[in-house]
Amino acid sequence: MTSLRWIYLGYNNLSGEIPEEIGNLTSLEHLDLVYNNLTGGIPPSLGNLTHLRQLDLSENKLSGEIPNGLGEIESLVQVNISHNHFRGSLPATGAFLALNATAIAGNNLCDLTTSTGLPPCGGANAKRSLIWHNYLVACILGTLAFIALIAYAVILMNRGRMSMEMKKVENLEDGLTWELRIFDSGKVWRSISMDEILGCRKDENLISKTGDSVSYRGDFSGTLFVVKEIRREMVMMSSFPASFWTEIGGIQHPNVVKLIGVLQSSKGLGFLVYEHVEGRKLIEVVRSLSWERRKRVAIGVAKALRFLHGRRSASRLVGCVSPDKVIVDGRDEPHLELSPLDLVGYETKGFVSSPHFGPGNNLHVYIYP
């Protein structure tokens, strides 16, 4: 029973008290006992439900005070205790800080924080608690603001220091001049050569193949990477300015596949070198994903798009997002792969994305500032 995640017993005319033993269901995420005749108080053991997300005890005859342990459950995001006989103060932490007035109506409760619209709790001790609470909140917010300011300054400094290494190589066999740009500042990638990138083009290293590109797996000094050979002749990689590659190479986000470098010839042909992400294309796995897993993937893609759309940048990009451009790892975390093959513009900031995670979907939505 410890693996039980949902309890829904609403509208059953149940009577008696809530069993203390419910606190032993440590995997419980949803507890719904709405519209019954339950009496007594809320068992303090409910504070042990560290995975609890939703709690609905409304429309009963429960009484007593709200256990402070409920306010310490970090996962709890939705609470409804309306129309009971609760008294005393609400916990001044967790989900109780943002309760809607309708979720606590019909009780005899007061509020230490004045954030819910309930009458303030009286007495000198309550006032002192409110002062200390407000003081602690102000200190925490000030500390977080200071840390955010320092982090932002560090990011700006790192962006300013980031430089793109470029090597030129003359190939006498094909008469081409090759340029290798490395964006990653790590010592491992600074020493990779053109031959080591081109040497990945073997059948045993093949990952995927389309009409536009072929992807191979590579191994350099024990670190895996992916090489994408650009095959679409109309895409002349040399037509992209250096600022474009600096822009793409400088993008760092957990939901965006990092571009390590680019190798291109004087005729515009070339290869993109990406970090290796263990997983499968979204278009390959979407039909097997539950709605909960699809939601997790969608949230990750949305985080990537929000980052790309909102970051400070002098250049402007317009990109295309589709299920075959997203890699889903073993934790259902999506990783968006940026490529010049998917660019539809370079002047206006925005991204083109499919509104549904489904293969064969050609409907697009444009997002602009």
Side-chain angles (χ1 to χ4, degrees), residues 50-218:
T50 56
H51 293 87
L52 190 64
R53 298 174 57 192
Q54 295 183 347
L55 175 65
D56 194 340
L57 303 176
S58 60
E59 302 291 346
N60 279 282
K61 298 178 181 178
L62 298 170
S63 58
E65 298 186 352
I66 310 299
N68 289 327
L70 289 180
E72 298 174 0
I73 302 177
E74 296 182 357
S75 59
L76 189 60
V77 295
Q78 185 173 337
V79 177
N80 191 341
I81 56 173
S82 62
H83 301 289
N84 282 282
H85 305 296
F86 293 120
R87 56 179 171 78
S89 61
L90 285 176
T93 54
F96 292 89
L97 289 174
L99 278 182
N100 189 291
T102 58
I104 49 180
N107 291 286
N108 188 26
L109 293 167
C110 61
D111 191 0
L112 291 173
T113 64
T114 70
S115 62
T116 61
L118 289 172
C121 298
N125 290 335
K127 291 181 179 179
R128 282 195 293 268
S129 298
L130 177 59
I131 293 173
W132 275 106
H133 175 269
N134 291 339
Y135 175 75
L136 289 175
V137 169
C139 289
I140 292 173
L141 291 177
T143 302
L144 291 177
F146 179 75
I147 293 174
L149 182 62
I150 296 297
Y152 182 67
V154 171
I155 292 173
L156 290 181
M157 291 175 61
N158 288 338
R159 283 185 177 179
R161 293 175 180 173
M162 187 189 71
S163 59
M164 175 178 59
E165 287 202 354
M166 184 173 67
K167 305 174 184 177
K168 284 194 175 183
V169 180
E170 297 283 349
N171 192 320
L172 298 178
E173 295 182 4
D174 54 21
L176 299 178
T177 299
W178 290 84
E179 290 183 353
L180 174 60
R181 292 184 173 93
I182 299 297
F183 312 112
D184 195 293
S185 58
K187 294 182 180 180
V188 174
W189 301 116
R190 287 182 179 273
S191 57
I192 195 171
S193 67
M194 180 188 74
D195 293 335
E196 286 160 327
I197 295 174
L198 296 179
C200 299
R201 295 183 298 168
K202 300 177 182 178
D203 291 340
E204 59 265 29
N205 296 331
L206 183 66
I207 298 176
S208 63
K209 185 176 183 179
T210 67
D212 298 327
S213 64
V214 183
S215 296
Y216 300 93
R217 181 182 291 103

Side-chain angles (χ1 to χ4, degrees), residues 9 27 29 39 86 104 117 119 132 134 140 155 160 184 215 230 307 310 312 315-316 352 355 362:
L9 297 174
S27 299
E29 297 180 5
T39 57
F86 293 120
I104 49 180
W132 275 106
N134 291 339
I140 292 173
I155 292 173
D184 195 293
S215 296
I230 307 301
F307 168 78
R312 293 178 177 270
S315 55
R316 305 286 181 172
V352 185
N362 295 319

